[in-house]
Amino acid sequence: MLGKLDWSAIPFDQPIPLIAGAIVLVAILGVLTWVVVKGHLPYLWSEWITSVDHKRIGVMYILLASVMLLRGGSDAIMMRIQQAVAYQSQGYLPPEHYNQIFSAHGTIMIFFVAMPFVIGLMNLVVPLQLGVRDVAFPTLNSVGFWLTATGALLVNLSLVVGEFARTGWLAFPPLSELSYSPGVGVDYYAWSLQISGVGTLVAGINLVTTVLKLRTKGMNYLRMPMFCWTTLASNLLIVAAFPILTATLAMLLLDRYLGFHFFTNEAGGNIMMFMNLIWAWGHPEVYILVLPAFGIFSEVVSTFSGKALFGYRSMVLATMAICVISFMVWLHHFFTMGAGPDVNAIFGIASMIIAVPTGVKIYNWLFTMYGGRIRFATPMLWAVGFMVTFIVGGLTGVLLAVPPADFMLHNSMFLVAHFHNVIIGGVLFGAFAGFEYWFPKAFGFRLDERWGKLAFWFTFLGFFITFVPLYIAGMLGMTRRMQHYDVAAWRPWMIVAAIGMAVLTIGVICQIVQIVVSIRNREALRDRTGDPWDGRSLEWATSSPPPVFNFAFNPDVRGEDAYWDMKARAQQQSLERDRPDYQDIEMPRNSPTGFVCAFFATIMGFALIWHIWWMVILGGLGAWATFVVFAWRDHDEYVIPAEEVASIDRVNIEERRNLVSMAGAAR
Amino acid sequence: MTMTATAGHAQADPHHVGLVIEHPGPAPKRIVTAYGFWIFLLSDIVMFSCFFAAYAVLSGQTAGGPRGSEIFEQRNVAIETVCLLLSSFTCGMASIAADVRNRFWFYLGMTVTCLLGLIFLVIEFREFADLVARGYGPSRSAFLTAFFSLVGCHGLHVSAGVLWLLTMMAQVFAKGFRADVLRRMMCFALFWHALDIVWVGVFSVVYLLGSAA
Ligand code: HEM
Ligand SMILES: [Cu+2]
């Protein structure tokens, strides 16, 4: 009746996950009770859960990422403590538990922190920058988000019901095959990634279509803000790479569930095929993450330098070059697995070539700053911190791309330091920069600068204190994923790294405090102009937070830096258009489709993991029925009458006029 | 078609002197929908490519089991191919009928498409069942694993297509040729034709090359 599920699935003998699970459960129940008792449920349901507004969906993505960051972060703390104490002893974590932690950490950080964070920011910002009302497929957008949430939920469920994979974040066979991993851990891993992967694909298709087909009047390709370009590149990569992940995991699942032989040791299965497939997705994946961050830095650097981006066209070219080349270097992840010197050399050189467009970008940012009027607001701090950090990460990457060096450093702590260097210093710093930069746009008030800067400095320092020691330990021969060790020379570095982790944690706490403080002082921090940073692209042309329809009129773009241009022209003419004639606006209706689909997907995923076949069928039927019901509805749009548009927009126009005349007076 | 050339605003943009290709604004919904669905189809084809690649890698790994030439039946494959190619034609007829809002030809075209799809599925199912009965199931060897997966994946897509097709007929029955129904019909047609293209790949890579070996 319940497949493999019984009481032994709950780890009663392991206090840590049980206590953690209990705390989370109590927290969730607490929040739910509070929501219900306070009567917020209808609001949440109609304004957020069923919302198809790209801005709200973006915010929910970011919220999901932030919560998961705390989960992944606590895994990281546990691992650093373990390696600091596990010198000539077992440490405080049993080995199989440690293995689950590092697998869950990697999986969560890549799929449920970095991905939703950048997708959230793209969702929030890109339609605004393009000057349009929504993404191409609003309801599908909601489906995509909720499927991602399903994946996150399943991974976290594994903490208390069953176990998680012990295979690392890429589940290499044959370790992940049934014979070596008979439990449900790998199944949790694979199904949660399958489900959230569908969500990611949907988001990718949506954003590609949005950028290519929905730009406002006059927004030619070479007038798009840089963030739109990197969004396009990143989502093209999603569309091309995520199906590979889907297929690879499907093969692994077929091996596990039906005794197929794709990657088994027996009957002619081929393990190297898994390596090739997974890295054909995995390498583009790191650029899926980092390209949007590059876009964010481009926006931030140009805004806070008060200058147009230097070398805009070369930046576009570099972005698209990275997009293409990132598909041609996957093999550098397994130089050591016997492909032979020729193949290794070719892939080594190809990998190093990526450093060229990346270098172009760094120089462009530097030249943008050069001669600019730089303001070191928090987003700018993250951007500058990124440039310093990322150069180190890129250089170590090029080093690893030298096959002989890689033979020494592969699977060592050096590798761990490299990819954290690029992913934290690149993607996470970018996400934070974007968060600070666009927060006022999303919520209508700024974040507290003092706490923001503190958060930056603790994170920045903490990052180096944590990861420089790992580079050194790697050079000293320490391999990755060690539960315990006996080499005295590694010990001090592990202790320093643990201290660094503590500093990083303070940074995270500062960030939480920043949010709390800012919400408390929101009246003082209120931004009425919609343009708190003196921005250059169209998202600053509307009020903060923007109305559902984003723009009362489709903006007409005449050049690069569209909004900067408009401000300048408005100043010359001292007035914006006087009495615009407003028109009715059609907007897509809210829909519970996404949430309901995800509900059934959760049931189906859980049932598949535990082999509860009747429940699988039930979940599948439910999901299908949801789609049919959605397809059947008659009115998927509603109309906002012109008067309402006018009354919403008038406030905005008034503020903007003040802004322009004030700026005119100041100059 | 969404670009028009005007000389407007040329001075406002320092990078362009003279003629500027002005972007006219968001594309109409029909184009956006078709475009998005195309991108989905491309991603689906990437997924198929992985199974093709796996088949190419594993096709020699018979582990003492049968080889392709020993189990493929040319006659069945020929009938399957004819069914699918014909169904692409009838699906095209149904699309045209939908565009000119002719219910009779629409239903007829869709029904024939559905029947052809079903015949294809039945033949494929019998082939699979027969192989399993002879002990040549997918877990017999890596070659059979890859064979069943690639062909089965296509078969699953066809099954989903048949379900979608029935839903489309029901939608036209209940709602008529509304704009959104027509957009869905266009997507369905794209899907069905894409499956045909994938089948041509399967047919050549698996059955033709396999029988020759
Ligand atoms: C100049 C650019 C880069 C080069 C040449 C480069 C090179 C490499 C090489 C050769 C490896 C394999 C090391 C090994 O397994 O022995 C590697 C691993 C890795 N890199 Fe990079 N990299 C670059 C940039 C990046 C960026 C931008 C990111 C992320 C945003 C990234 C993320 C990773 C990750 C996650 C791994 C480890 C995968 C694993 O084994 O779990 N790299 N890199
Ligand atoms: Cu790589």
Side-chain angles (χ1 to χ4, degrees):
Chain A
M1 182 68 181
L2 285 181
K4 293 160 108 184
L5 188 61
D6 58 31
W7 285 111
S8 67
I10 316 274
F12 288 113
D13 51 333
Q14 289 174 29
I16 298 175
L18 219 54
I19 293 170
I23 293 173
V24 172
L25 203 68
V26 169
I28 291 177
L29 284 181
V31 171
L32 273 184
T33 329
W34 181 78
V35 164
V36 173
V37 170
K38 283 272 190 173
H40 292 320
L41 198 60
Y43 167 78
L44 270 188
W45 175 260
S46 60
E47 294 292 317
W48 290 90
I49 294 174
T50 61
S51 176
V52 298
D53 179 346
H54 70 96
K55 303 176 286 292
R56 299 246 158 121
I57 292 175
V59 168
M60 290 193 287
Y61 262 118
I62 293 170
L63 192 68
L64 174 72
S66 311
V67 173
M68 286 298 107
L69 182 62
L70 298 181
R71 160 76 211 272
S74 29
D75 289 338
I77 295 174
M78 289 170 78
M79 287 189 288
R80 281 282 130 257
I81 296 178
Q82 168 76 2
Q83 291 202 325
V85 300
Y87 170 60
Q88 292 189 335
S89 77
Q90 282 292 337
Y92 74 107
L93 289 173
E96 78 282 354
H97 189 186
Y98 184 80
N99 295 353
Q100 287 183 42
I101 292 180
F102 71 63
S103 309
H105 168 77
T107 310
I108 287 177
M109 284 302 197
I110 297 279
F111 293 96
F112 301 114
V113 178
M115 287 299 283
F117 216 129
V118 295
I119 293 182
L121 286 172
M122 295 190 285
N123 245 311
L124 177 67
V125 178
V126 165
L128 289 169
Q129 286 197 333
L130 295 174
V132 293
R133 301 235 152 88
D134 210 326
V135 291
F137 309 106
T139 311
L140 215 56
N141 204 12
S142 152
V143 173
F145 166 72
W146 285 105
L147 289 181
T148 310
T150 292
L153 180 66
L154 285 178
V155 170
N156 285 288
L157 210 58
S158 74
L159 194 63
V160 266
V161 187
E163 51 168 2
F164 197 68
R166 298 163 199 182
T167 51
W169 73 290
L170 285 178
F172 292 148
L175 181 56
S176 54
E177 292 284 356
L178 203 57
S179 35
Y180 300 96
S181 295
V184 292
V186 176
D187 303 326
Y188 262 115
Y189 165 90
W191 287 115
S192 55
L193 295 199
Q194 283 301 51
I195 293 171
S196 64
V198 174
T200 307
L201 180 66
V202 164
I205 293 173
N206 220 330
L207 283 163
V208 169
T209 316
T210 306
V211 175
L212 291 181
K213 284 287 150 208
L214 286 194
R215 287 161 291 133
T216 190
K217 189 166 177 312
M219 178 74 79
N220 291 350
Y221 281 116
L222 286 177
R223 292 176 184 171
M224 286 199 310
M226 209 48 226
F227 186 56
C228 296
W229 267 109
T230 58
T231 295
L232 175 62
S234 166
N235 285 287
L236 283 174
L237 285 177
I238 288 182
V239 172
F242 265 77
I244 309 181
L245 178 68
T246 306
T248 315
L249 291 177
M251 292 178 198
L252 182 63
L253 285 166
L254 284 170
D255 276 7
R256 286 179 63 86
Y257 277 71
L258 298 175
F260 281 33
H261 291 290
F262 280 108
F263 312 124
T264 53
N265 282 331
E266 313 85 46
N270 190 326
I271 294 161
M272 283 315 290
M273 195 167 74
F274 185 90
M275 299 295 161
N276 273 299
L277 285 172
I278 202 86
W279 284 115
W281 159 79
H283 188 80
E285 164 70 5
V286 304
Y287 285 91
I288 289 170
L289 294 175
V290 87
L291 280 171
F294 287 169
I296 295 169
F297 293 126
S298 302
E299 304 291 306
V300 167
V301 166
S302 118
T303 299
F304 289 97
S305 306
K307 277 174 67 191
L309 191 66
F310 180 91
Y312 172 83
R313 285 167 184 231
S314 63
M315 208 70 144
V316 171
L317 214 63
T319 303
M320 294 326 273
I322 292 177
C323 182
V324 174
I325 303 173
S326 68
F327 253 108
M328 309 200 280
V329 302
W330 77 95
L331 197 136
H332 67 210
H333 291 274
F334 44 100
F335 280 149
T336 53
M337 295 193 211
D342 301 344
V343 173
N344 279 1
I346 289 170
F347 279 87
I349 293 166
S351 309
M352 292 174 212
I353 288 175
I354 288 205
V356 176
T358 315
V360 168
K361 289 188 164 234
I362 300 257
Y363 282 110
N364 280 343
W365 291 318
L366 290 177
F367 283 129
T368 306
M369 290 169 68
Y370 180 76
R373 218 194 290 160
I374 302 178
R375 289 170 285 159
F376 282 105
T378 318
M380 188 62 173
L381 282 186
W382 288 110
V384 175
F386 149 80
M387 282 186 241
V388 174
T389 315
F390 196 80
I391 289 173
V392 180
L395 289 179
T396 53
V398 174
L399 181 64
L400 285 171
V402 180
D406 191 66
F407 271 71
M408 304 304 295
L409 295 168
H410 180 69
N411 268 349
S412 74
M413 283 312 240
F414 189 94
L415 165 76
V416 175
H418 156 70
F419 71 70
H420 283 85
N421 203 160
V422 275
I423 287 188
I424 295 181
V427 182
L428 208 61
F429 281 20
F432 288 158
F435 179 78
E436 303 273 335
Y437 183 58
W438 283 306
F439 188 92
K441 183 43 64 187
F443 293 104
F445 59 97
R446 294 163 190 253
L447 287 168
D448 185 275
E449 282 279 300
R450 211 159 50 97
W451 282 102
K453 288 184 173 154
L454 271 180
F456 166 75
W457 283 111
F458 276 113
T459 310
F460 185 73
L461 287 178
F463 169 79
F464 278 99
I465 306 176
T466 311
F467 289 100
V468 170
L470 300 194
Y471 276 123
I472 299 172
M475 301 271 220
L476 294 175
M478 182 169 182
T479 50
R480 75 201 279 205
R481 294 173 179 164
M482 291 198 134
Q483 299 131 5
H484 54 90
Y485 54 91
D486 299 324
V487 180
W490 301 343
R491 180 93 205 270
W493 301 114
M494 290 303 110
I495 293 174
V496 178
I499 295 170
M501 193 66 227
V503 180
L504 263 176
T505 310
I506 299 177
V508 172
I509 292 171
C510 286
Q511 213 139 30
I512 296 173
V513 174
Q514 181 199 27
I515 295 170
V516 174
V517 167
S518 314
I519 293 179
R520 283 249 182 88
N521 297 343
R522 62 184 176 282
E523 280 319 315
L525 292 165
R526 181 79 60 200
D527 159 51
R528 291 184 199 290
T529 63
D531 182 21
W533 312 112
D534 197 8
R536 315 180 67 85
S537 39
L538 282 178
E539 76 266 36
W540 308 110
T542 181
S543 62
S544 312
V548 249
F549 47 80
N550 289 351
F551 300 94
F553 299 95
N554 295 327
D556 183 2
V557 176
R558 313 270 177 93
E560 282 166 34
D561 284 340
Y563 184 48
W564 186 262
D565 207 47
M566 287 178 191
K567 280 192 281 193
R569 259 184 297 128
Q571 232 168 60
Q572 276 165 18
Q573 300 160 3
S574 82
L575 271 186
E576 292 188 31
R577 198 167 2 165
D578 232 335
R579 294 202 54 213
D581 75 296
Y582 292 98
Q583 271 159 9
D584 293 356
I585 292 180
E586 262 191 6
M587 293 301 292
R589 225 176 249 286
N590 281 359
S591 158
T593 308
F595 188 78
V596 177
C597 261
F599 173 79
F600 287 118
T602 308
I603 291 185
M604 208 159 102
F606 185 80
L608 280 163
I609 290 163
W610 292 100
H611 297 225
I612 312 173
W613 305 119
W614 58 268
M615 214 158 116
V616 174
I617 295 170
L618 217 65
L621 282 179
W624 182 70
T626 319
F627 263 118
V628 173
V629 170
F630 171 66
W632 222 260
R633 69 185 184 162
D634 283 323
H635 308 285
D636 54 356
E637 293 192 323
Y638 69 105
V639 172
I640 305 174
E643 306 91 70
E644 203 179 323
V645 176
S647 70
I648 293 175
D649 195 47
R650 225 159 263 144
V651 188
N652 181 30
I653 290 213
E654 204 47 47
E655 291 296 338
R656 218 143 283 271
R657 212 172 267 153
N658 293 341
L659 181 77
V660 168
S661 59
M662 256 161 54
R667 266 171 211 176
Chain B
M1 128 194 41
T2 60
M3 295 288 205
T4 49
T6 66
H9 312 314
Q11 289 107 328
D13 187 347
H15 290 298
H16 302 279
V17 186
L19 189 80
V20 178
I21 309 289
E22 278 292 342
H23 178 69
K29 209 161 184 174
R30 201 182 123 84
I31 302 228
V32 172
T33 307
Y35 202 86
F37 196 74
W38 247 117
I39 296 178
F40 162 74
L41 283 180
L42 288 180
S43 78
D44 208 32
I45 285 181
V46 172
M47 200 216 31
F48 268 114
S49 322
C50 294
F51 282 99
F52 272 109
Y55 180 80
V57 169
L58 299 177
S59 58
Q61 306 296 324
T62 50
R67 287 183 308 158
S69 49
E70 295 162 38
I71 54 171
F72 298 149
E73 288 202 33
Q74 295 300 348
R75 204 177 54 94
N76 279 349
V77 183
I79 299 174
E80 283 179 312
T81 308
V82 169
C83 279
L84 264 199
L85 291 183
L86 266 184
S87 82
S88 232
F89 175 73
T90 54
C91 173
M93 296 304 282
S95 303
I96 296 174
D99 281 339
V100 300
R101 292 172 172 62
N102 184 324
R103 278 180 189 255
F104 173 75
W105 283 103
F106 172 79
Y107 288 130
L108 185 67
M110 290 295 256
T111 310
V112 177
T113 310
C114 181
L115 287 179
L116 289 168
L118 286 176
I119 294 175
F120 172 88
L121 284 174
V122 168
I123 298 179
E124 184 157 285
F125 183 80
R126 284 204 356 223
E127 180 189 13
F128 279 10
D130 179 49
L131 282 175
V132 172
R134 283 154 66 192
Y136 300 153
S139 40
R140 173 65 190 81
S141 72
F143 156 66
L144 285 165
T145 287
F147 165 76
F148 272 89
S149 307
L150 175 57
V151 179
C153 184
H154 178 267
L156 268 182
H157 275 73
V158 176
S159 319
V162 169
L163 262 186
W164 188 0
L165 182 155
L166 294 174
T167 320
M168 281 318 307
M169 285 173 77
Q171 285 221 323
V172 170
F173 181 74
K175 319 240 163 209
F177 295 112
R178 233 169 41 185
D180 56 344
V181 176
L182 284 180
R183 281 200 300 272
R184 277 177 215 139
M185 182 59 206
M186 176 173 59
C187 292
F188 167 76
L190 283 174
F191 181 76
W192 197 259
H193 296 316
L195 286 189
D196 227 20
I197 296 174
V198 172
W199 177 257
V200 173
V202 172
F203 170 75
S204 330
V205 171
V206 177
Y207 291 103
L208 279 186
L209 289 178
S211 312

